[in-house]
Amino acid sequence: MTESSSQFTEEELIRLIGEEFSIDAERLRPDVTFGELGLDSLALLELIVSLENRTGARLLEDIQGVAPSDTLATAAAQLASTLRTADTAR
């Protein structure tokens, strides 16, 4: 299912991480880092590919700064910005 990338939210990222990596919802808070959830750089790559599949946007080349030390809130803001840019480029 392709979701509108202009409507991407922090909650959407949290839901996607829970689904993709089978992480309990109570562990998924905006202030937790990917590393604290046990997600390394390879897992972040998998997450970005999943987002590309869901949104139809090309993200891998544009997302350089998302790291295991980032919080979910920080990553969601960067991803939302990148998706908005991709929307306007279409």
Side-chain angles (χ1 to χ4, degrees), residues 38-78:
L39 302 177
D40 60 11
S41 56
L42 182 57
L44 293 178
L45 179 62
E46 291 175 33
L47 179 63
I48 290 168
V49 169
S50 180
L51 278 166
E52 286 183 337
N53 290 336
R54 288 174 181 249
T55 64
R58 298 292 303 152
L59 302 172
L60 196 55
E61 299 85 18
D62 297 325
I63 303 223
Q64 301 296 324
V66 177
S69 60
D70 288 333
T71 65
L72 300 187
T74 299
Q78 183 175 358

Side-chain angles (χ1 to χ4, degrees), residues 3-88:
E3 298 171 6
S4 172
S5 54
S6 62
Q7 296 177 358
F8 181 81
T9 64
E10 184 178 287
E11 292 80 19
E12 181 66 23
L13 176 64
I14 288 172
R15 184 186 61 76
L16 179 61
I17 291 169
E19 288 175 5
E20 291 289 318
F21 301 104
S22 300
I23 297 174
D24 293 329
E26 60 269 2
R27 293 184 60 206
L28 297 170
R29 299 179 324 274
D31 64 330
V32 72
T33 67
F34 289 104
E36 290 170 333
L37 294 173
L39 302 177
D40 60 11
S41 56
L42 182 57
L44 293 178
L45 179 62
E46 291 175 33
L47 179 63
I48 290 168
V49 169
S50 180
L51 278 166
E52 286 183 337
N53 290 336
R54 288 174 181 249
T55 64
R58 298 292 303 152
L59 302 172
L60 196 55
E61 299 85 18
D62 297 325
I63 303 223
Q64 301 296 324
V66 177
S69 60
D70 288 333
T71 65
L72 300 187
T74 299
Q78 183 175 358
L79 290 167
S81 175
T82 301
L83 286 167
R84 278 192 302 276
T85 301
D87 272 352
T88 60

